[in-house]
Amino acid sequence: MEGVPALEEQFSSRYQILRQIGKGAASVVYEAFDTQIQRPVALKVLSIADSLPGAERRQAIERFYREVRLAGRLSHPNIAQVYSAGEQGGKHFIVMELCRGVSLREILRIEGCISEARVRKIAIQILEALKTAHSAGIIHRDIKPENIIIGQNDQVKLTDFGIAKAVSDATLTQSGMILGTPAYMSPEQVLGKNVDARSDIFSVGVLLYECLSGRKPFDGATISEVTQKIVSAEPAPLTKIASPWPEIVMRALSKSPSDRYQNAAEMLFDIQAGRVSNQFSQSMQPGQRAVSQTVHAPAPPQAPSTGVGSGPFISTPNSPPAQNIPSNLIWSILATVFCFWPLGIVAIIKAAEADNKKSIGDYDGALKAYRESRTWMWLAVGAGFVVWCLILPGYFLSLFLSAF
């Protein structure tokens, strides 16, 4: 492989190569400086063995440029931006955003496992990135700690769309072709079947399991042993992890895609709400259900928030199950009738809005409207309490005075 000085000579017309910062199976990533635009960049250079046959070489080049076409269509704070690509001196390269930080793999290697509050912060950002990619019809297919860069204040960048697949693209991804990292593959990916966004959800489940427990859910001495477990074995329960993490992770790790979260938005909703749907909780194996019911770690008192990095789960009776928000409508009506009706009406409107957004799959909007509804409901209760405290004493005082 060519060293930095040789590459500097090849790219000297525009890019100043500073140092190597990463290496994969088919490419090397360098920190560089774009002398024309005057900004730091990451230069990803394709590395192909001279012994690779012509057809495979062409396919490797095509897959390399696919990353430009797919990732270049995406714009999101949690996705590493692709600027341009080209060929110079026989070297194929991609110019990308330089992501400052370390990979999630490095963090796991040092710390073993990560706190639940920090996992929540990271998971929300990964799922936000995937929601954008899936909405654009792009499946990543290689979600793993090595492709998650953690920057300052745990800012996440999802990288490496090198084997990503556009839903409409049938080339280079025929049924029977296996691409990805074995330990993080979904069952359908292992079997070489066609995959969709739910395959990425499974990979996120593997990643979260490892972050929370410090071990992979499907491990083995050989690749074949790992893939066999992915297809047919259930992972060990997360026995020391507070609810709702075990339920959320196990749902993501369901063997059948139809039993998993159907999209990133659904999984994101449950993580932000701190609950999972009743349907899934009832379908869990007895051992898994017992764990989720008996292990509860107390969380520091913080206000619930949908924002990234807003702290640990807020597991309270007020948090909505993913499929059962409408119950708040009843409480809002009661608050209107028995407390302070002007504020209660606002709570009813917000509760109805949450129901409507949930029915059309807008989980972010549903969660926001739900929380607003709860806020207005409690304001109505508080205002009603104050009003009744003023009215009742006056009423009884007037009765007392009228008796004399």
Side-chain angles (χ1 to χ4, degrees):
M1 183 193 303
E2 286 185 279
V4 170
L7 281 173
E8 270 188 329
E9 190 173 333
Q10 282 186 311
F11 291 97
S12 60
S13 61
R14 177 164 182 175
Y15 300 104
Q16 179 186 356
I17 309 295
L18 302 177
R19 63 189 178 100
Q20 179 179 316
I21 56 175
K23 181 181 178 183
S27 61
V28 182
V29 183
Y30 299 92
E31 180 180 350
F33 187 77
D34 187 332
T35 58
Q36 287 188 11
I37 303 180
Q38 294 290 302
R39 68 178 173 187
V41 296
L43 203 64
K44 186 174 184 177
V45 181
L46 181 62
S47 177
I48 306 177
D50 294 335
S51 59
L52 198 67
E56 293 183 28
R57 177 181 292 270
R58 288 192 297 273
Q59 195 172 74
I61 294 172
E62 168 60 23
R63 191 170 294 122
F64 186 73
Y65 282 106
R66 169 184 295 198
E67 179 172 5
V68 183
R69 293 195 300 271
L70 296 183
R73 287 158 47 182
L74 303 175
S75 178
H76 189 274
N78 298 122
I79 297 177
Q81 189 175 354
V82 171
Y83 298 139
S84 63
E87 180 185 1
Q88 191 162 330
K91 291 290 183 182
H92 300 274
F93 66 93
I94 301 174
V95 184
M96 309 168 63
E97 174 186 359
L98 180 62
C99 302
R100 302 286 186 184
V102 297
S103 71
L104 183 56
R105 168 60 63 213
E106 288 299 317
I107 293 175
L108 290 172
R109 186 175 291 121
I110 295 170
E111 301 183 15
C113 58
I114 304 174
S115 69
E116 293 165 33
R118 195 178 185 192
V119 170
R120 179 183 188 269
K121 185 175 183 178
I122 292 171
I124 287 175
Q125 295 178 81
I126 293 172
L127 290 167
E128 289 283 9
L130 284 177
K131 188 169 70 170
T132 295
H134 295 167
S135 297
I138 297 171
I139 307 159
H140 191 283
R141 298 199 299 177
D142 200 19
I143 300 295
K144 59 182 180 181
E146 288 82 354
N147 290 337
I148 308 295
I149 303 300
I150 309 296
Q152 191 174 14
N153 298 321
D154 283 339
Q155 173 74 14
V156 166
K157 289 288 185 179
L158 177 59
T159 68
D160 203 347
F161 282 75
I163 65 167
K165 173 183 180 291
V167 173
S168 60
D169 188 3
T171 62
L172 296 179
T173 56
Q174 297 92 344
S175 180
M177 191 174 196
I178 302 176
L179 292 172
T181 303
Y184 300 89
M185 287 181 179
S186 64
E188 60 270 27
Q189 207 172 355
V190 166
L191 296 172
K193 297 180 179 180
N194 288 326
V195 300
D196 56 24
R198 295 171 295 184
S199 180
D200 281 348
I201 296 299
F202 186 93
S203 299
V204 171
V206 175
L207 185 145
L208 294 183
Y209 186 105
E210 184 176 2
C211 287
L212 290 164
S213 68
R215 65 183 188 276
K216 295 183 179 70
F218 310 103
D219 215 344
T222 64
I223 291 178
S224 60
E225 185 180 349
V226 171
T227 55
Q228 180 63 34
K229 287 183 179 180
I230 289 173
V231 172
S232 59
E234 292 298 329
L238 293 168
T239 54
K240 296 181 180 180
I241 308 301
S243 181
W245 280 116
E247 300 96 320
I248 290 174
V249 172
M250 292 304 174
R251 181 174 182 181
L253 291 177
S254 298
K255 303 298 183 188
S256 171
S258 61
D259 291 335
R260 294 175 210 149
Y261 292 102
Q262 297 303 289
N263 51 58
E266 280 190 3
M267 189 172 184
L268 182 64
F269 180 88
D270 274 6
I271 288 176
Q272 290 178 320
R275 297 284 293 272
V276 293
S277 63
N278 291 334
Q279 291 92 327
F280 179 73
S281 296
Q282 292 167 3
S283 68
M284 290 178 67
Q285 297 179 9
Q288 295 174 331
R289 188 161 56 247
V291 168
S292 69
Q293 291 171 349
T294 58
V295 181
H296 294 271
Q302 295 185 19
S305 169
T306 60
V308 171
S310 54
F313 282 108
I314 307 298
S315 295
T316 69
N318 294 343
S319 299
Q323 308 295 332
N324 195 26
I325 291 179
S327 61
N328 196 47
L329 187 60
I330 298 173
W331 291 108
S332 298
I333 293 172
L334 292 174
T336 302
V337 174
F338 295 103
C339 297
F340 193 68
W341 67 266
L343 298 178
I345 288 176
V346 179
I348 292 174
I349 293 172
K350 289 297 180 181
E353 181 183 341
D355 294 349
N356 181 58
K357 289 182 180 295
K358 184 71 174 65
S359 68
I360 62 175
D362 182 3
Y363 298 101
D364 288 344
L367 181 59
K368 181 180 178 182
Y370 171 87
R371 285 176 168 163
E372 289 176 350
S373 173
R374 300 294 296 192
T375 299
W376 284 105
M377 183 195 75
W378 285 114
L379 286 173
V381 170
F385 178 78
V386 171
V387 170
W388 283 110
C389 284
L390 293 175
I391 291 176
L392 287 178
Y395 174 73
F396 286 115
L397 180 61
S398 63
L399 288 178
F400 177 77
L401 293 175
S402 63
F404 296 95

